[in-house]
PDB file of all heavy atoms in Angstrom:
ATOM      1  N   GLY B  29      31.435   9.596 104.969  1.00  0.00           N
ATOM      2  CA  GLY B  29      31.956   8.475 105.945  1.00  0.00           C
ATOM      3  C   GLY B  29      31.477   8.634 107.256  1.00  0.00           C
ATOM      4  O   GLY B  29      31.914   8.063 108.215  1.00  0.00           O
ATOM      5  N   LEU B  30      30.376   9.517 107.442  1.00  0.00           N
ATOM      6  CA  LEU B  30      29.876   9.657 108.764  1.00  0.00           C
ATOM      7  C   LEU B  30      28.800   8.544 109.067  1.00  0.00           C
ATOM      8  O   LEU B  30      28.080   8.233 108.160  1.00  0.00           O
ATOM      9  CB  LEU B  30      29.231  11.125 109.067  1.00  0.00           C
ATOM     10  CG  LEU B  30      30.228  12.291 108.803  1.00  0.00           C
ATOM     11  CD1 LEU B  30      29.480  13.576 109.087  1.00  0.00           C
ATOM     12  CD2 LEU B  30      31.407  12.255 109.676  1.00  0.00           C
ATOM     13  N   LYS B  31      28.844   8.132 110.286  1.00  0.00           N
ATOM     14  CA  LYS B  31      27.768   7.142 110.724  1.00  0.00           C
ATOM     15  C   LYS B  31      26.466   7.928 110.888  1.00  0.00           C
ATOM     16  O   LYS B  31      26.415   8.843 111.764  1.00  0.00           O
ATOM     17  CB  LYS B  31      28.163   6.455 111.783  1.00  0.00           C
ATOM     18  CG  LYS B  31      27.335   5.178 112.160  1.00  0.00           C
ATOM     19  CD  LYS B  31      27.946   4.258 113.153  1.00  0.00           C
ATOM     20  CE  LYS B  31      27.038   2.916 113.340  1.00  0.00           C
ATOM     21  NZ  LYS B  31      26.574   2.822 114.621  1.00  0.00           N
ATOM     22  N   THR B  32      25.506   7.755 110.052  1.00  0.00           N
ATOM     23  CA  THR B  32      24.409   8.641 109.903  1.00  0.00           C
ATOM     24  C   THR B  32      23.038   7.977 110.140  1.00  0.00           C
ATOM     25  O   THR B  32      22.828   6.979 109.730  1.00  0.00           O
ATOM     26  CB  THR B  32      24.301   9.267 108.506  1.00  0.00           C
ATOM     27  OG1 THR B  32      25.607   9.817 108.299  1.00  0.00           O
ATOM     28  CG2 THR B  32      23.348  10.347 108.373  1.00  0.00           C
ATOM     29  N   LEU B  33      22.156   8.796 110.984  1.00  0.00           N
ATOM     30  CA  LEU B  33      20.818   8.251 111.106  1.00  0.00           C
ATOM     31  C   LEU B  33      19.820   9.432 110.709  1.00  0.00           C
ATOM     32  O   LEU B  33      20.108  10.641 111.199  1.00  0.00           O
ATOM     33  CB  LEU B  33      20.542   7.972 112.560  1.00  0.00           C
ATOM     34  CG  LEU B  33      18.991   7.663 112.883  1.00  0.00           C
ATOM     35  CD1 LEU B  33      18.550   6.292 112.306  1.00  0.00           C
ATOM     36  CD2 LEU B  33      18.831   7.606 114.392  1.00  0.00           C
ATOM     37  N   LEU B  34      18.934   9.166 109.813  1.00  0.00           N
ATOM     38  CA  LEU B  34      17.831  10.123 109.632  1.00  0.00           C
ATOM     39  C   LEU B  34      16.587   9.807 110.239  1.00  0.00           C
ATOM     40  O   LEU B  34      16.196   8.572 110.033  1.00  0.00           O
ATOM     41  CB  LEU B  34      17.651  10.342 108.030  1.00  0.00           C
ATOM     42  CG  LEU B  34      16.658  11.415 107.587  1.00  0.00           C
ATOM     43  CD1 LEU B  34      17.163  12.066 106.386  1.00  0.00           C
ATOM     44  CD2 LEU B  34      15.281  10.727 107.346  1.00  0.00           C
ATOM     45  N   VAL B  35      15.975  10.598 110.886  1.00  0.00           N
ATOM     46  CA  VAL B  35      14.628  10.351 111.384  1.00  0.00           C
ATOM     47  C   VAL B  35      13.645  11.262 110.942  1.00  0.00           C
ATOM     48  O   VAL B  35      13.944  12.474 110.823  1.00  0.00           O
ATOM     49  CB  VAL B  35      14.581  10.310 113.085  1.00  0.00           C
ATOM     50  CG1 VAL B  35      15.441   9.168 113.611  1.00  0.00           C
ATOM     51  CG2 VAL B  35      15.135  11.601 113.642  1.00  0.00           C
ATOM     52  N   GLU B  36      12.418  10.710 110.612  1.00  0.00           N
ATOM     53  CA  GLU B  36      11.405  11.613 109.994  1.00  0.00           C
ATOM     54  C   GLU B  36      10.061  11.184 110.782  1.00  0.00           C
ATOM     55  O   GLU B  36       9.713   9.980 110.934  1.00  0.00           O
ATOM     56  CB  GLU B  36      11.269  11.359 108.516  1.00  0.00           C
ATOM     57  CG  GLU B  36      10.013  11.632 107.907  1.00  0.00           C
ATOM     58  CD  GLU B  36       9.460  13.102 108.077  1.00  0.00           C
ATOM     59  OE1 GLU B  36      10.284  13.978 107.820  1.00  0.00           O
ATOM     60  OE2 GLU B  36       8.368  13.359 108.366  1.00  0.00           O
ATOM     61  N   ARG B  37       9.371  12.261 111.195  1.00  0.00           N
ATOM     62  CA  ARG B  37       8.082  12.051 111.889  1.00  0.00           C
ATOM     63  C   ARG B  37       7.077  11.245 111.027  1.00  0.00           C
ATOM     64  O   ARG B  37       6.412  10.403 111.587  1.00  0.00           O
ATOM     65  CB  ARG B  37       7.709  13.437 112.364  1.00  0.00           C
ATOM     66  CG  ARG B  37       6.359  13.353 113.212  1.00  0.00           C
ATOM     67  CD  ARG B  37       6.111  14.830 113.683  1.00  0.00           C
ATOM     68  NE  ARG B  37       5.864  15.724 112.517  1.00  0.00           N
ATOM     69  CZ  ARG B  37       4.984  16.760 112.555  1.00  0.00           C
ATOM     70  NH1 ARG B  37       4.240  16.896 113.621  1.00  0.00           N
ATOM     71  NH2 ARG B  37       4.884  17.658 111.478  1.00  0.00           N
ATOM     72  N   TYR B  38       6.959  11.721 109.870  1.00  0.00           N
ATOM     73  CA  TYR B  38       5.998  10.925 109.076  1.00  0.00           C
ATOM     74  C   TYR B  38       6.729  10.297 107.876  1.00  0.00           C
ATOM     75  O   TYR B  38       7.436   9.502 108.082  1.00  0.00           O
ATOM     76  CB  TYR B  38       4.954  11.917 108.465  1.00  0.00           C
ATOM     77  CG  TYR B  38       4.113  12.625 109.482  1.00  0.00           C
ATOM     78  CD1 TYR B  38       3.980  14.100 109.610  1.00  0.00           C
ATOM     79  CD2 TYR B  38       3.484  11.887 110.396  1.00  0.00           C
ATOM     80  CE1 TYR B  38       3.243  14.760 110.491  1.00  0.00           C
ATOM     81  CE2 TYR B  38       2.708  12.603 111.423  1.00  0.00           C
ATOM     82  CZ  TYR B  38       2.602  13.978 111.335  1.00  0.00           C
ATOM     83  OH  TYR B  38       1.839  14.531 112.412  1.00  0.00           O
ATOM     84  N   ASP B  39       6.499  10.814 106.695  1.00  0.00           N
ATOM     85  CA  ASP B  39       7.065  10.135 105.519  1.00  0.00           C
ATOM     86  C   ASP B  39       8.068  11.187 104.856  1.00  0.00           C
ATOM     87  O   ASP B  39       8.053  12.331 105.215  1.00  0.00           O
ATOM     88  CB  ASP B  39       6.008   9.872 104.494  1.00  0.00           C
ATOM     89  CG  ASP B  39       6.495   9.190 103.234  1.00  0.00           C
ATOM     90  OD1 ASP B  39       7.545   8.468 103.262  1.00  0.00           O
ATOM     91  OD2 ASP B  39       5.828   9.332 102.120  1.00  0.00           O
ATOM     92  N   VAL B  40       9.013  10.615 104.058  1.00  0.00           N
ATOM     93  CA  VAL B  40       9.949  11.529 103.412  1.00  0.00           C
ATOM     94  C   VAL B  40       9.117  12.441 102.472  1.00  0.00           C
ATOM     95  O   VAL B  40       8.100  11.954 101.936  1.00  0.00           O
ATOM     96  CB  VAL B  40      11.012  10.692 102.790  1.00  0.00           C
ATOM     97  CG1 VAL B  40      11.970  10.095 103.597  1.00  0.00           C
ATOM     98  CG2 VAL B  40      10.477   9.778 101.660  1.00  0.00           C
ATOM     99  N   SER B  41       9.576  13.543 102.335  1.00  0.00           N
ATOM    100  CA  SER B  41       8.936  14.624 101.522  1.00  0.00           C
ATOM    101  C   SER B  41       7.485  14.828 101.800  1.00  0.00           C
ATOM    102  O   SER B  41       6.607  15.128 100.942  1.00  0.00           O
ATOM    103  CB  SER B  41       9.102  14.358  99.904  1.00  0.00           C
ATOM    104  OG  SER B  41       8.699  13.069  99.607  1.00  0.00           O
TER     105      SER B  41
END
Side-chain angles (χ1 to χ4, degrees):
Chain B
L30 303 181
K31 193 165 185 243
T32 307
L33 170 70
L34 182 143
V35 290
E36 158 59 46
R37 181 170 63 141
Y38 300 125
D39 182 25
V40 293
S41 51

